Amino acid sequence: MSSRNHMAPFAVNIDLNTGHIGPPARALTRRLSDLRGLFCDEAAYSALTAAGDPVVYEVYEVRVPEEDGHLLSCTTIIHPGQVGREYFFTKGHYHLSEPRAEIYTCLRGEGYLLLGNREGESRSIVMIPGVSAYIPPYWAHRTLNTGSHPFIFHGVWPGDSGHDYGSIEQAGFPLRVFEERGRPAVKASAGPC
Ligand code: PAN
Ligand code: ZN
């Protein structure tokens, strides 16, 4: 019998201040050096990476089987910061199984959810606490922090989704967000940068 028939119900605790999830969570840290080639300003990227390689974001994922029928969930904490004028962001991905949707709910801080699809459409959604965004099947997604505090959101997605990072690494994300006159400005972007 598969493991899903034998799992007992459980709960985790999400610290709404830090975004950390109490046991049993799996933690992942992405430093700037893990995001090579993704930001536009290569000089600023090299300088920042050499001067301490800051943590850009952390992910705390609830441990459940990555299979059909289960729901995966995590918190993501994007730290405040910029590479040049571009705000710190997540790598961004399509789901490997593209007909898999996802929900992101902002818990703290402020940022954007960027979305793009293979038909060339793109969207941006402002994320502030209480905003719960629906990422439909077939849409790539990336988040970024436009504030001066950590931006924290909770995500839920099907267990058999998988992640395709290569498409975004190769083609870039169709939208980028830069600081302009002290405010975020969303720009269409063609190619890696
Ligand atoms: C999220 C993301 C998380 C980190 O859990 O995986 O926010 O972003 P990257 O995976 O793009 O580095 C999700 O969308 N899961 O499917
Ligand atoms: Zn996803």
Side-chain angles (χ1 to χ4, degrees):
M1 243 188 248
S2 81
S3 59
R4 63 183 172 226
N5 294 330
H6 292 289
M7 182 178 257
F10 69 96
V12 297
N13 285 305
I14 301 174
D15 184 320
L16 298 176
N17 286 315
T18 63
H20 295 177
I21 297 187
R26 176 170 37 212
L28 178 95
T29 299
R30 293 254 184 250
R31 291 185 174 275
L32 196 54
S33 56
D34 298 314
L35 305 176
R36 185 165 300 281
L38 298 182
F39 288 95
C40 277
D41 188 334
E42 288 178 12
Y45 177 88
S46 300
L48 269 176
T49 306
D53 192 15
V55 172
V56 177
Y57 60 101
E58 300 163 66
V59 177
Y60 291 84
E61 191 176 322
V62 177
R63 289 174 180 273
V64 298
E66 296 187 15
E67 51 185 56
D68 176 30
H70 281 284
L71 289 173
L72 300 173
S73 64
C74 75
T75 50
T76 302
I77 300 120
I78 309 180
H79 294 280
Q82 295 178 15
V83 177
R85 291 189 301 106
E86 195 170 17
Y87 297 99
F88 276 8
F89 57 50
T90 56
K91 291 176 87 163
H93 59 267
Y94 284 94
H95 290 156
L96 203 53
S97 178
E98 293 200 15
R100 297 292 180 273
E102 183 155 4
I103 291 174
Y104 280 179
T105 304
C106 180
L107 304 179
R108 195 160 187 224
E110 57 194 273
Y112 277 75
L113 165 62
L114 304 179
L115 303 113
N117 65 23
R118 298 198 190 275
E119 281 69 54
E121 298 172 292
S122 57
R123 296 281 191 285
S124 66
I125 294 176
V126 173
M127 299 292 281
I128 56 173
V131 172
S132 189
Y134 189 70
I135 301 165
Y138 301 101
W139 285 80
H141 36 290
R142 166 180 281 170
T143 43
L144 55 112
N145 185 348
T146 52
S148 47
H149 299 284
F151 164 52
I152 304 172
F153 65 94
H154 184 245
V156 183
W157 68 101
D160 60 346
S161 300
H163 293 95
D164 161 22
Y165 292 103
S167 297
I168 301 300
E169 280 165 6
Q170 282 159 28
F173 211 90
L175 294 176
R176 291 180 176 274
V177 186
F178 300 93
E179 184 186 357
E180 278 189 8
R181 290 183 287 278
R183 297 169 57 84
V186 181
K187 307 276 185 190
S189 165
C193 198

